[in-house]
Amino acid sequence: MNRKRVTIYDLAKAMGLSPSYISKALNDYPMINIKMKEKIQMTAQKLNYKHNSYAANLRKGISRTIGVIVPNINKKFFSEIISGIENVCFENDYGLIICQSQESFEKECKAIETLIRQNVDCIMISITAETQSTEYLQNIINNDIILIQFDRYIENFNTFKVLNDNEFMAYEATRHLISKGYRKIAFLGWVEQLTINKLRIGGYLRALKESNLPSLIFDNAIQKERTAEVATKLLKSIEPPDAFVTFADHQALIVLQVAKSLGIEVPEQLGIIGSGNDSLTEITTPTLSTIDQKSIDLGKQAADLYFEILSKKLSKKTIIITEKIVPAGIICRESTMKF
Amino acid sequence: MNRKRVTIYDLAKAMGLSPSYISKALNDYPMINIKMKEKIQMTAQKLNYKHNSYAANLRKGISRTIGVIVPNINKKFFSEIISGIENVCFENDYGLIICQSQESFEKECKAIETLIRQNVDCIMISITAETQSTEYLQNIINNDIILIQFDRYIENFNTFKVLNDNEFMAYEATRHLISKGYRKIAFLGWVEQLTINKLRIGGYLRALKESNLPSLIFDNAIQKERTAEVATKLLKSIEPPDAFVTFADHQALIVLQVAKSLGIEVPEQLGIIGSGNDSLTEITTPTLSTIDQKSIDLGKQAADLYFEILSKKLSKKTIIITEKIVPAGIICRESTMKF
DNA sequence: CTGAAAGCGCTTACAG
DNA sequence: CTGAAAGCGCTTACAG
């Protein structure tokens, strides 16, 4: 590999100046003669000089790079978060290195190793479903890298966190249905053991309790067939629910299909709310109400948090914020418009 | 920033050996005493030594990093491509730096600059809709960085390319509809000037010509309202089409809605095919036939291409392949099952 | 099999 | 305002 680029030495030689002077000029040091500065920057451009980040970072001991680890980047939720992170990083002239754990703890560990070797300044991670051990995360901190967990995180592990408020999200969705006049609201949950699922159940129950309404919880109803099965069973029962809170748009859509096939009118006889604000939810008939998780914003918040920490660290102030909550919003469309 | 890590010097001191020897042991050089090698690797682990990629890359002049620039990573098509690229990179222990151009030529240029400074070994790019100039891309090549264009690319610019075959994609989709017995097939296109749109029209016309069928082309029917407007007008006309080829699932879904609202039976009276294989297309009633663009595979192919080029380059062989075509597939579901 | 020395391209105290 | 020198943490010819 003989990628021979123009260096500050080349510029120095070409201009009869010292390399250190060139470096300062290029980095906008104040004590440089303004005329010279301009001249040097002109020449750099002309000679197609490219600053070598590796050399600078090695010298400075920082990388201006953030590493992100997510289970999958080809999921709307995560790709939006990354998009949000990327925007903020770009503005601050920070690079982003992306890794996918593919829900494998082993890949996750390898990704962490890689990012540490890459000398990243910060690692943002949403852990896999498998991740139990806190050892690798601790390793990040031991290497003086700022660790921010987002969305899926390890509890009882004291790091920075940026999270959706799942309890509140479920509470709001349930409240929304209640406010629209629905009275027997079924909950279609995700995997039972997941923390987020438990939190959602909590929010759901809280809303019901406030209005003295009965609960109807079905966990593990995330797979297509299972969702259809549960929805069918419930809607055919003697006292069917008059609404469903779900936490994925595809769940909501399946419920909608089942309802249609049984001749049940949505939203008149049945209210349905999904989650994720998939672009197709605007197009269905009826259009689907949905929980907007503000995932781009969540990514933005995570990146903002990093830069806050950084500035506090530089100014030696104590750091106060360790957890940010990004509130979800309810997007009200036809599927919950009983009135 | 006093991120003080363990270096090979620390290891050398701790073990009474030379840094260069440590380096060789850690890099699995053959001439090192096997016992020593093991001992050194043990100690490195114990002392929590982390190899510093920046230092190594600076010395070696390579980065083992690939830069990717896409308009938006929070679009299914692109995030899947990136996912495919990431998988291959991870296997080869290559890092990935992601940038979004947000369809802005300016941001695209800035991203290219950043990646060059980062010393990436390869840049994979899908250009913005604005991009006309070839100057920045040329700059990549001038810096001895391998350039691979994917999906959206500049024509008449001789670089490596990995593409969907848009002509063939449209041809196949149209053929599919013909084979199912549809005879008056309307084409709902994207922005008129786009190369891909022209290619698709070509494929559509080719299929029709083979079967001596009439054409019915409507460009700029990608926005929700416009799609609905065109579909409504056509379906209400005296001789309405009996099928629609579209190149986005949301277009297909809108057509489906319009048809339903007009009491037209799908697929009996009207065939519809979308594109993108959105997860919700499996859930609609009827389920939607769609063009599967194999985007994860496209990403994988792009990364594979890089590693092929690399190995050819190292073995000083001439490079032959410059363009890879990833064929799309038709996923046949209910919306085109006339028979 | 092991080590001394130079160098990758920058930046940063320090000196003038 | 300008420059000489050291050093960031590695790797790699070269020598022994």
Side-chain angles (χ1 to χ4, degrees):
Chain A
M1 251 344 168
N2 51 344
R3 185 182 303 160
K4 202 58 202 145
R5 303 234 179 111
V6 178
T7 71
I8 52 172
Y9 282 85
D10 299 323
L11 292 183
K13 207 173 293 173
M15 303 188 72
L17 291 164
S18 74
S20 51
Y21 194 60
I22 302 283
S23 169
K24 285 171 202 152
L26 259 23
N27 286 292
D28 247 352
Y29 270 52
M31 65 294 234
I32 301 280
N33 183 325
I34 182 90
K35 293 258 170 205
M36 285 305 273
K37 200 183 286 185
E38 278 171 13
K39 207 180 286 180
I40 290 171
Q41 279 163 358
M42 292 284 291
T43 319
Q45 185 127 34
K46 206 184 311 166
L47 268 57
N48 199 23
Y49 166 79
K50 301 286 174 200
H51 180 261
N52 182 325
S53 308
Y54 278 81
N57 294 341
L58 175 60
R59 176 60 228 255
K60 293 198 283 192
I62 57 157
S63 68
R64 291 188 82 83
T65 300
I66 290 175
V68 180
I69 306 173
V70 291
N72 289 289
I73 63 179
N74 56 324
K75 278 194 180 163
K76 185 177 190 287
F77 181 65
F78 290 122
S79 69
E80 288 190 344
I81 289 176
I82 293 174
S83 179
I85 296 174
E86 200 275 343
N87 283 343
V88 178
C89 284
F90 188 84
E91 276 166 28
N92 288 277
D93 203 24
Y94 260 64
L96 247 203
I97 299 182
I98 311 285
C99 303
Q100 299 185 90
S101 60
Q102 319 253 50
E103 299 288 5
S104 141
F105 178 59
E106 194 196 331
K107 275 202 82 177
E108 186 173 77
C109 293
K110 231 182 125 185
I112 291 174
E113 279 289 326
T114 306
L115 292 175
I116 293 176
R117 284 202 305 268
Q118 287 278 343
N119 235 321
V120 295
D121 298 334
C122 169
I123 292 180
M124 300 187 179
I125 188 170
S126 196
I127 58 171
T128 75
E130 289 179 11
T131 308
Q132 305 279 346
S133 152
T134 172
E135 183 192 339
Y136 271 80
L137 297 182
Q138 187 58 52
N139 202 350
I140 294 173
I141 297 170
N142 293 347
N143 280 279
D144 272 315
I145 296 171
I146 291 171
L147 172 62
I148 298 178
Q149 296 192 80
F150 62 91
D151 191 50
R152 284 150 49 161
Y153 64 100
I154 293 210
E155 294 174 276
N156 309 321
F157 184 57
N158 186 30
T159 61
F160 298 104
K161 297 189 190 84
V162 179
L163 309 170
N164 269 142
D165 189 341
N166 276 281
E167 200 271 350
F168 190 67
M169 175 191 299
Y171 174 79
E172 285 286 282
T174 311
R175 289 278 310 154
H176 171 72
L177 288 167
I178 295 171
S179 76
K180 292 295 174 186
Y182 299 102
R183 288 293 170 264
K184 196 168 175 204
I185 302 164
F187 176 101
L188 290 191
W190 287 19
V191 180
E192 204 175 341
Q193 307 90 313
L194 278 179
T195 306
I196 48 171
N197 197 55
K198 291 177 191 159
L199 289 168
R200 288 166 183 172
I201 290 178
Y204 164 75
L205 291 175
R206 180 157 68 94
L208 293 180
K209 202 171 169 190
E210 282 180 10
S211 301
N212 258 311
L213 295 172
S215 68
L216 202 56
I217 297 173
F218 287 81
D219 286 321
N220 304 308
I222 179 80
Q223 300 296 349
K224 186 180 170 183
E225 292 72 22
R226 175 75 182 143
T227 309
E229 185 191 318
V230 171
T232 308
K233 203 183 79 183
L234 285 174
L235 291 173
K236 279 187 172 172
S237 66
I238 310 175
E239 286 191 74
D242 65 357
F244 281 86
V245 212
T246 74
F247 294 89
D249 288 327
H250 76 262
Q251 284 181 301
L253 197 54
I254 289 170
V255 174
L256 177 60
Q257 306 284 326
V258 170
K260 279 187 184 172
S261 72
L262 295 174
I264 298 169
E265 299 283 332
V266 176
E268 294 77 5
Q269 301 171 48
L270 186 73
I272 304 173
I273 187 162
S275 178
N277 195 20
D278 189 293
S279 58
L280 294 192
T281 56
E282 289 188 76
I283 293 174
T284 52
T285 310
T287 54
L288 276 175
S289 295
T290 186
I291 301 168
D292 178 3
Q293 294 187 88
K294 309 261 176 66
S295 27
I296 294 182
D297 191 47
L298 200 149
K300 186 182 168 315
Q301 297 282 335
D304 284 345
L305 177 56
Y306 168 72
F307 290 108
E308 276 169 41
I309 296 166
L310 196 65
S311 68
K312 293 258 169 73
K313 217 172 168 181
L314 292 178
S315 64
K316 312 256 179 206
K317 278 185 201 150
T318 340
I319 295 155
I320 316 146
I321 4 92
T322 59
E323 199 167 318
K324 273 196 184 183
I325 302 292
V326 179
I330 304 295
I331 297 179
C332 176
R333 298 210 186 90
E334 293 162 4
S335 68
T336 54
M337 291 293 262
K338 191 167 182 171
F339 307 127
Chain B
M1 260 329 173
N2 51 345
R3 186 182 303 160
K4 202 57 201 146
R5 302 235 180 112
V6 179
T7 71
I8 52 172
Y9 282 85
D10 299 323
L11 292 183
K13 206 172 295 171
M15 302 188 71
L17 291 165
S18 76
S20 50
Y21 194 59
I22 303 283
S23 170
K24 284 172 204 153
L26 259 22
N27 285 294
D28 248 354
Y29 270 52
M31 64 298 230
I32 302 281
N33 182 323
I34 182 92
K35 293 258 169 204
M36 286 305 273
K37 199 185 286 182
E38 278 171 12
K39 208 180 285 178
I40 291 170
Q41 278 163 357
M42 292 283 292
T43 318
Q45 184 127 34
K46 205 183 314 167
L47 268 57
N48 198 22
Y49 166 79
K50 301 285 176 203
H51 179 262
N52 183 324
S53 309
Y54 278 81
N57 294 340
L58 174 59
R59 176 58 228 254
K60 292 198 285 194
I62 58 157
S63 68
R64 291 187 82 81
T65 300
I66 289 175
V68 180
I69 306 173
V70 292
N72 288 291
I73 63 178
N74 56 324
K75 277 194 182 162
K76 186 177 187 298
F77 181 65
F78 290 123
S79 69
E80 288 190 344
I81 289 176
I82 292 174
S83 178
I85 296 174
E86 200 274 344
N87 283 342
V88 178
C89 284
F90 188 83
E91 276 166 27
N92 288 277
D93 204 24
Y94 259 64
L96 248 201
I97 298 182
I98 312 285
C99 303
Q100 300 185 89
S101 61
Q102 319 252 52
E103 299 288 5
S104 142
F105 179 60
E106 194 196 332
K107 275 203 79 176
E108 186 173 76
C109 294
K110 231 184 125 184
I112 291 173
E113 280 288 327
T114 305
L115 293 175
I116 293 176
R117 283 202 305 268
Q118 287 280 343
N119 235 319
V120 295
D121 297 335
C122 170
I123 291 179
M124 300 187 179
I125 188 170
S126 195
I127 59 171
T128 76
E130 290 179 10
T131 308
Q132 305 277 348
S133 152
T134 173
E135 183 190 340
Y136 272 80
L137 298 182
Q138 188 58 52
N139 202 351
I140 294 173
I141 297 171
N142 293 347
N143 279 281
D144 272 317
I145 296 172
I146 291 171
L147 172 63
I148 299 179
Q149 296 192 82
F150 63 90
D151 190 50
R152 284 150 50 160
Y153 63 101
I154 292 209
E155 292 176 276
N156 309 321
F157 184 56
N158 187 28
T159 61
F160 299 102
K161 297 190 190 86
V162 180
L163 309 170
N164 270 140
D165 188 340
N166 276 280
E167 199 271 349
F168 190 67
M169 175 190 299
Y171 174 78
E172 284 285 283
T174 312
R175 289 278 310 153
H176 170 73
L177 288 166
I178 296 172
S179 76
K180 291 294 174 187
Y182 299 103
R183 290 292 169 265
K184 196 165 178 208
I185 302 165
F187 176 102
L188 290 191
W190 289 17
V191 180
E192 204 174 340
Q193 307 90 313
L194 278 179
T195 307
I196 49 171
N197 197 55
K198 290 178 191 158
L199 289 168
R200 287 166 183 172
I201 290 178
Y204 163 76
L205 291 176
R206 180 158 67 94
L208 293 180
K209 202 172 170 190
E210 282 180 10
S211 300
N212 257 310
L213 295 172
S215 68
L216 203 56
I217 296 173
F218 287 81
D219 287 321
N220 305 309
I222 178 78
Q223 301 295 350
K224 186 181 171 181
E225 292 71 22
R226 175 75 181 142
T227 309
E229 184 191 319
V230 171
T232 309
K233 202 184 79 185
L234 284 174
L235 290 173
K236 279 188 173 171
S237 67
I238 310 176
E239 286 190 74
D242 65 358
F244 281 86
V245 213
T246 75
F247 294 89
D249 288 327
H250 76 263
Q251 284 181 301
L253 197 54
I254 290 170
V255 175
L256 177 60
Q257 308 281 329
V258 170
K260 279 188 183 173
S261 72
L262 296 174
I264 297 170
E265 299 282 334
V266 177
E268 293 77 5
Q269 301 172 49
L270 185 73
I272 304 172
I273 187 162
S275 179
N277 194 20
D278 188 295
S279 59
L280 294 192
T281 56
E282 289 188 75
I283 293 175
T284 52
T285 308
T287 55
L288 276 175
S289 296
T290 187
I291 300 169
D292 178 5
Q293 294 187 87
K294 309 263 176 66
S295 28
I296 293 183
D297 192 46
L298 201 150
K300 188 183 167 315
Q301 298 281 334
D304 283 345
L305 177 56
Y306 168 71
F307 289 107
E308 277 169 41
I309 296 166
L310 195 65
S311 68
K312 293 258 169 71
K313 215 172 172 182
L314 292 178
S315 64
K316 312 252 179 209
K317 278 186 201 150
T318 340
I319 295 156
I320 316 145
I321 3 91
T322 59
E323 198 167 317
K324 273 195 184 185
I325 302 291
V326 179
I330 304 294
I331 297 180
C332 176
R333 297 210 186 90
E334 292 163 4
S335 69
T336 55
M337 290 294 263
K338 190 167 183 173
F339 307 127

